[in-house]
Amino acid sequence: MTGGGRLGWIFGAVRTAAADLLLAAALAATSAGIAVAGPAPQRIVSLNLCIDQLLIDLVARERIASVTHLAHDPLYSPRATDFAGIPANHGLAEEVLALEPDLVLTGPFSRPSTTALLRRLGYRVVEVPVAATLGEVRSQIRELAALVGAEARGAAMIADMDRRLAALPPRRDPAPIALIYDTNGLTGGADTLADEVLSFAGFDNTARELGIAGWRLLDLETLVVGRPDFLVVGDLAAIPPSLGRQLLRHPALRQPGLRRIELSSSHWVCAGPAVLAAVESLAEARLAASAETPR
Amino acid sequence: MSRRRGLVLGGLLTLAAAALFLVSLGIGRAPLTLLDLLFGANGTDPEIAGIVLTEIRLPRAILAVMVGAALGLSGAVLQGYLRNPLAEPGLVGASSMAALGAVVALYTGLAAALPWTLPAGGILGALVGVSVVHLLAGRSASPTVLILAGVAVNSLAGALTSLALSLAPSPFAMQEIVFWLLGSLADRSFDHVVLALPFMAAGAVLLASTARGLEALTLGSDAARSLGVSLDRLQVQVALGTALAVGAAVAVSGAIGFIGLVVPHLLRPLVGWRPAALLPVSALGGAVLALAADIAARVLSDDAELNLGVVTAMVGAPFFIYLLVSTRRRFA
C-alpha cells in the first residue's frame, strides 16, 4: 500500500484485524453507504471517448470530474460543445490523481499501466466494454447506468433509441448505394459502425460491395469504378487542412451523378445516440433525393 | 555536328516521353487499360472511363512531365552555373525549403482560402534555400563546401518541416511528412496542374534564358564578363528560375530527389558538354525519368504505391555515390 486516495486507505484498513470500527466510521461518514459498490459516484473520471459520449447523457454534468480531451474535439466528438467546462484528461495517471475521483471508467484501449497504477493507489477503476454496434450498445448503456446509479436514465436512453430506430423511413429496393469517404480516403466496410449507419439509413454500402471489411483507405480510381450514388464526406469546414482533406475536394468526387453529403465522421466513432442522429440525417437525404428523381 | 546530335537526342527523348506518357495513362488502381479508357473496350462505361482518364490519370501524367522537366532543367542550369557536378535542386536546399514553405501555407489553412499561396510558399522557401546555400558556399566553391552547405540547409529545413507538421492542427499532418520528404503524384488533380503551371513555366523561361551566360561561363568568369555577360543578372536568373520552377513543383508533388542530378550527367557527354545544348534535353530527360519513376512507383508495389522519391533515390543515390568517388579522385 503506497497510500493516496481515501478509498485506498479504507480498503487497506479492511485488511487489518482491527478494521471493523474504522470501516464503520468511514461508511457512516459518507452520505449513503451502500454495500461494496458504495454510494453513487459523484466524481467520475472517464478515460474513454465512447464512455464520455454516454456518460454526458446518463449523469448530471457536476458529477463528471473529467472526460478525455477527444470529447472536446469536434473531429471525434459529435457533441463537443456539450462537454465545455468539464476538465479534459489525456489518459495519464497523474491527471487522474489530481482530480480525486471516486470512480474511474476505462475502455478496452486504455493504457494497462495507467489502470494498474490507479488500482494500486486504491482508486476504483472499472473497465467498461465498448460497443462496436448499435445492437451491443444497449447492454453497454445498461452496464454503465448501473455503475453510476442511473438505471432509470439508462432505460430511458435505450427506449428513446428504439423509438427513433422504429421511426426511420422504410428501406426501398433497389436501395441506392452510398460510400462513406473520410480524410485520406478512409472508408468503412462490413463490420463497422459506418456500415451500420448506411444500412439503417436505407443504403447499400459501396465499400461492402467492393469486398471491404473493417476500415480501409480507398483509392480514387476504385471509388469511381464502384460508382456510388451518394458520397458521404466529412464536414469539410470542421476538418483542419491537410493533404488528407485535400483529397475530399478532388474533382473526381464532384461528378454530376454523385450526390455529396457532408456529415462529420465523429457520428460513427462510437456506438450510441449520435449514430442515430447520423442515420436520421442520411435517411432524410435519401428521401429528399428520391423525391427529386424517382429511381 | 553536335547541334544535329542534340536534335536527334531531343527527338528520341520526346518519343520516349510520349510513349511513357501513354503507358502512365494505362495503369492505375482500377483495372482499366488505355484501350478500355479511350475506346470503351471490354464494355467499359464511358462515364467512368472519362472520370478515371481525365480527372485522375491525365493530371498525374502531366504533372510527372512538368515536375520532371523542372527538376532536370534546373539541375542542368545549377551544374553549369556553379560549375559543380554535384549541384542539383535537392542539394542546394531548394527542394527541402520549398517543402517547408508549402507545408506552412497548407497546414495553416492559408492555401485553403487562397490557393495560390501554396505554390507561392514553395517558391519563397526555395528562394531562401538557394540564397542561403549560395551565401554559404559561393559560386565555384569546392564540391565539399557546397555539399556541406546543402546538408546544413536541408537538415534545418527538414527539422522545421517536422516542427510545422507537429504543430499543425490536423491529426493527419505528421504522417503526411512522407509526402513532403519523398514526393508523390498520387491523387493529384488538374487543380494542382493549373496552380503550378504558370509559375513553373515562368521559371523554365528564366532558366532557359541562362543558356548564353552558362555557355560563356565555361571560359571562366573573367572571360564571361568580357563577353558582356552580367554575372549578377545571371545569378538572379538562376536563383529566381530555380525557385519558381522547383518551388512550385515541390508545392504540388513534394520533394523528389536526384532527377536534377542524374539527368544532366547522363546527357552531358551526348551533347558535347555544351551547357546551352544540355538545357532542353535535360528538361526532356527529366520528364522521361519522372514518368518512368512514377510508373515504377505504381507497378512495383501491389498494395500502397511507393513514394516517387523512393524510386528516384534507388536510381539516384548509387549514382550520387559514384559521382562522389569520381569527383574525389579528380580533386585529390
Side-chain angles (χ1 to χ4, degrees):
Chain A
M1 201 72 220
T2 44
R6 196 156 49 98
L7 272 174
W9 176 76
I10 293 170
F11 288 146
V14 170
R15 289 195 211 106
T16 66
D20 285 5
L21 256 178
L22 271 171
L23 179 63
L27 285 180
T30 58
S31 52
I34 328 160
V36 195
Q42 299 299 316
R43 293 193 55 76
I44 306 168
V45 168
S46 162
L47 301 184
N48 179 284
L49 172 67
C50 295
I51 297 173
D52 298 338
Q53 307 291 324
L54 298 176
L55 204 57
I56 192 80
D57 282 338
L58 281 172
V59 302
R61 294 170 52 90
E62 299 76 47
R63 290 175 57 195
I64 306 176
S66 173
V67 291
T68 64
H69 69 286
L70 298 173
H72 292 281
D73 187 340
L75 260 192
Y76 306 101
S77 180
R79 293 158 55 196
T81 46
D82 290 359
F83 292 92
I86 302 178
N89 70 69
H90 300 77
L92 301 173
E94 278 193 37
E95 297 169 310
V96 177
L97 294 186
L99 293 162
E100 296 189 12
D102 50 8
L103 177 63
V104 181
L105 297 170
T106 68
F109 302 114
S110 302
R111 278 186 213 103
S113 55
T114 304
T115 314
L117 179 62
L118 290 171
R119 286 213 171 102
R120 216 166 66 230
L121 294 177
Y123 289 96
R124 184 168 171 229
V125 183
V126 179
E127 183 184 316
V128 182
V130 167
T133 63
L134 275 188
E136 291 168 22
V137 83
R138 289 178 185 77
S139 64
Q140 190 195 355
I141 292 176
R142 264 185 229 111
E143 189 172 333
L144 198 59
L147 269 172
V148 299
E151 287 86 348
R153 185 78 199 92
M157 271 173 75
I158 293 171
D160 184 55
M161 278 179 52
D162 288 338
R163 186 186 53 73
R164 286 166 77 181
L165 276 174
L168 286 173
R171 188 186 165 87
R172 259 207 233 127
D173 282 318
I177 63 170
L179 181 79
I180 285 180
Y181 204 60
D182 201 24
T183 318
N184 279 323
L186 189 67
T187 193
D191 308 319
T192 61
L193 263 177
D195 185 64
E196 209 178 14
V197 165
L198 290 179
S199 138
F200 275 120
F203 293 99
D204 282 338
N205 185 357
T206 313
R208 190 190 265 274
E209 285 177 7
L210 289 168
I212 295 172
W215 290 96
R216 219 181 75 185
L217 298 181
L218 186 69
D219 63 280
L220 280 177
E221 287 195 9
T222 313
L223 184 155
V224 172
V225 174
R227 255 206 142 156
D229 304 310
F230 291 80
L231 191 70
V232 185
V233 293
D235 174 11
L236 284 183
I239 304 174
S242 67
L243 294 169
R245 181 181 77 164
Q246 224 178 50
L247 177 65
L248 302 180
R249 295 188 186 277
H250 197 286
L253 303 179
R254 297 189 175 278
Q255 299 304 322
L258 185 62
R259 288 170 199 277
R260 276 170 78 97
I261 303 172
E262 290 202 4
L263 187 61
S264 169
S265 58
S266 64
H267 286 99
W268 42 86
V269 171
C270 293
V275 173
L276 278 170
V279 169
E280 283 160 358
S281 61
L282 288 180
E284 204 173 294
R286 170 173 68 92
L287 288 185
S290 71
E292 255 172 63
T293 49
R295 284 170 60 92
Chain B
M1 187 63 201
S2 99
R3 174 172 296 267
R4 208 164 124 215
R5 260 179 36 192
L7 278 177
V8 171
L9 182 63
L12 287 175
L13 287 170
T14 308
L15 276 179
L20 288 169
F21 191 90
L22 291 177
V23 172
S24 178
L25 292 182
I27 55 171
R29 297 305 292 268
L32 296 170
T33 65
L34 193 54
L35 290 180
D36 299 340
L37 294 175
L38 289 179
F39 308 111
N42 298 320
T44 309
D45 185 303
E47 202 183 323
I48 288 180
I51 298 170
V52 170
L53 185 64
T54 60
E55 300 290 6
I56 300 175
R57 293 192 189 172
L58 201 56
R60 177 174 194 148
I62 291 173
L63 272 178
V65 170
M66 284 165 51
V67 170
L71 293 172
L73 177 60
S74 61
V77 168
L78 286 168
Q79 285 173 15
Y81 174 70
L82 296 168
R83 277 179 290 173
N84 190 322
L86 300 176
E88 68 127 359
L91 190 88
V92 301
S95 299
S96 58
M97 286 295 286
L100 174 63
V103 160
V104 170
L106 179 69
Y107 293 89
T108 53
L110 198 59
L114 304 165
W116 60 267
T117 56
L118 183 68
I123 291 162
L124 193 65
L127 195 57
V128 172
V130 172
S131 311
V132 170
V133 168
H134 199 273
L135 273 178
L136 287 175
R139 203 168 56 76
S140 309
S142 81
T144 331
V145 176
L146 181 74
I147 288 176
L148 287 178
V151 165
V153 170
N154 281 335
S155 49
L156 181 66
L160 291 176
T161 303
S162 169
L163 177 70
L165 290 171
S166 301
L167 298 177
S170 170
F172 306 100
M174 203 60 219
Q175 74 192 41
E176 289 175 359
I177 196 168
V178 179
F179 171 88
W180 296 108
L181 294 183
L182 292 170
S184 170
L185 294 174
D187 298 333
R188 306 278 87 188
S189 71
F190 269 113
D191 295 348
H192 297 105
V193 175
V194 171
L195 213 49
L197 189 58
F199 297 105
M200 292 175 70
V205 169
L206 269 178
L207 289 173
S209 72
T210 62
R212 204 181 70 88
L214 296 182
E215 202 75 17
L217 211 52
T218 55
L219 307 170
S221 323
D222 295 337
R225 225 173 268 125
S226 71
L227 284 170
V229 171
S230 158
L231 292 184
D232 290 339
R233 211 181 122 211
L234 188 62
Q235 181 181 335
V236 171
Q237 284 171 328
V238 171
L240 207 57
T242 302
L244 281 166
V246 176
V250 170
V252 294
S253 70
I256 299 161
F258 296 108
I259 291 180
L261 177 78
V262 173
V263 170
H265 263 285
L266 290 179
L267 298 177
R268 189 170 288 116
L270 302 179
V271 292
W273 285 269
R274 289 181 45 237
L278 183 61
L279 300 193
V281 292
S282 287
L284 284 169
V288 168
L289 184 55
L291 279 166
D294 188 43
I295 289 167
R298 282 175 284 175
V299 172
L300 286 180
S301 165
D302 237 7
D303 205 16
E305 63 181 69
L306 301 175
N307 279 92
L308 206 47
V310 173
V311 181
T312 56
M314 282 193 294
V315 180
F319 191 81
F320 187 61
I321 293 167
Y322 155 76
L323 276 179
L324 266 183
V325 172
S326 62
T327 359
R328 208 178 64 172
R329 209 173 289 138
R330 205 178 318 143
F331 278 78

